[in-house]
């Protein structure tokens, strides 16, 4: 199973819930939080970890802890010792987590913030990509930029190593059996790379009146379109 949960914003989560979730994280995670700057960053970290663990219980029926070492991809370690691939991304209060029981996974979410994307393209992108970008209008170019950036961020996480800027310097080439998916609107891009031959399911979590996560399938209420296969680069 490949399952994803997308939370559009953390601003409506009660502070007491975040405090409770934080106290339940591992000692290693507590140390990482202590080194972070800014409460929004700490909040996103706590919510993402909790959301991933809850998704594992809800969709896989397992109790698991998120474990990770420096410069390595996180894993879900179950109570019976199994290791399950997972991935986490957050940007501007939005959080995306993913689990893959049949292969590897990398996810990325990017908020479209004001930036000179043309300078990044000219400095880091491959020549044909630069030419394509130069023929786009501003809106088309920005959307295209974030698709390229986001899918490569997901690929770095999928591989567990690699350099984003090296990947930007050449056309995307996914190995056989690897699937790339994109979802995008005017303000946000989501990308997923996975293996295992199974199409991911995408859920949207909400807190109920008791402070428990509920996971709903894609609905018209969301501002993100359904994940679609990666277009030709």
């Amino acid at each position: 199973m490949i399952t994803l949960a997308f939370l559009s914003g953390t601003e409506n989560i009660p502070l007491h819930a975040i405090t409770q979730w934080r106290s339940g994280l591992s000692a290693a995670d507590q140390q990482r939080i202590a080194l972070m700057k800014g409460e929004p960053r700490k909040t996103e970290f706590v919510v993402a970890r909790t959301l991933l663990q809850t998704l594992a219980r809800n969709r896989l029926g397992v109790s698991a802890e998120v474990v990770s070492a420096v410069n390595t991809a996180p894993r879900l370690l179950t109570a019976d010792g199994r290791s399950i691939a997972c991935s986490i991304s957050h940007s501007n209060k939005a959080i995306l987590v993913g689990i893959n029981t049949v292969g590897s996974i990398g996810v990325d979410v990017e908020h479209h913030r004001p930036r000179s994307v043309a300078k990044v393209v000219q400095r880091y992108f491959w020549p044909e990509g630069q030419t394509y970008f130069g023929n786009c209008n501003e809106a088309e170019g920005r959307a295209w930029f974030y698709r390229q950036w986001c899918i490569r961020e997901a690929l770095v996480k999928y591989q567990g190593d690699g350099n984003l800027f090296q990947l930007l310097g050449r056309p995307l080439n996914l190995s056989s059996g690897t699937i790339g998916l994109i979802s995008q609107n005017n303000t946000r891009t989501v990308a997923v790379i996975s293996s295992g031959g199974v199409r991911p399911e995408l859920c949207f979590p909400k807190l109920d009146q008791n402070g428990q996560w509920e996971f709903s399938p894609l609905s018209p209420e969301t501002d993100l379109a359904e994940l679609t296969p990666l277009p030709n680069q």
Side-chain angles (χ1 to χ4, degrees):
M1 172 184 280
I2 306 176
T3 184
L4 311 164
F6 177 75
L7 180 66
S8 60
T10 59
E11 63 273 9
N12 295 322
I13 299 177
L15 179 59
H16 67 83
I18 296 172
T19 302
Q20 179 181 351
W21 296 339
R22 178 173 175 174
S23 66
L25 294 179
S26 67
D29 282 344
Q30 299 286 358
Q31 292 177 354
R32 292 181 65 178
I33 294 171
L35 297 175
M36 294 177 184
K37 296 181 179 179
E39 288 304 315
R41 176 73 178 85
K42 295 178 181 180
T43 294
E44 288 180 0
F45 182 90
V46 171
V47 175
R49 282 293 202 271
T50 305
L51 185 59
L52 186 57
Q53 293 170 333
T54 308
L55 183 67
R57 288 196 302 270
N58 184 280
R59 304 301 297 147
L60 307 182
V62 299
S63 177
E65 179 182 348
V66 185
V67 295
S68 61
V70 178
N71 297 324
T72 62
R75 305 284 294 183
L76 278 170
L77 185 63
T78 67
D80 60 1
R82 286 185 294 152
S83 179
I84 301 174
C86 64
S87 188
I88 299 171
S89 181
H90 37 85
S91 174
N92 195 43
K93 302 180 181 179
I95 294 174
L96 177 68
V97 299
I99 300 172
N100 188 351
T101 63
V102 292
S104 299
I105 188 168
V107 304
D108 190 55
V109 55
E110 295 288 342
H111 177 72
H112 300 182
R113 62 187 185 276
R115 63 189 300 180
S116 179
V117 297
K119 291 182 179 179
V120 178
V121 172
Q122 292 166 4
R123 181 172 182 180
Y124 295 108
F125 279 42
W126 72 106
E128 295 83 359
Q130 293 177 3
T131 300
Y132 180 89
F133 178 84
N135 292 326
C136 294
N137 63 38
E138 183 176 357
E140 292 171 341
R142 182 171 293 272
W144 182 84
F145 166 84
Y146 275 106
R147 288 198 297 271
Q148 306 309 315
W149 182 283
C150 207
I151 200 68
R152 286 167 175 78
E153 281 271 28
L155 182 57
V156 169
K157 295 178 181 179
Y158 171 86
Q159 295 173 335
D161 57 16
N163 182 288
L164 171 64
F165 293 103
Q166 289 180 352
L167 292 176
L168 289 171
R170 56 180 183 264
L172 190 69
N173 183 21
L174 299 181
S175 59
S176 177
T178 303
I179 301 173
L181 298 167
I182 285 282
S183 179
Q184 188 174 60
N185 60 22
N186 292 332
T187 61
R188 190 178 293 125
T189 300
V190 163
V192 180
I193 291 186
S194 63
S195 60
V198 180
R199 185 177 178 85
E201 65 168 13
L202 179 59
C203 301
F204 294 86
K206 292 182 179 180
L207 284 175
D208 63 19
Q209 293 181 345
N210 298 318
Q212 301 297 315
W213 289 112
E214 294 180 337
F215 295 91
S216 303
L218 183 72
S219 73
E221 297 177 2
T222 180
D223 61 353
L224 276 172
E226 193 168 4
L227 287 166
T228 56
L230 183 69
N232 292 332
Q233 303 302 299

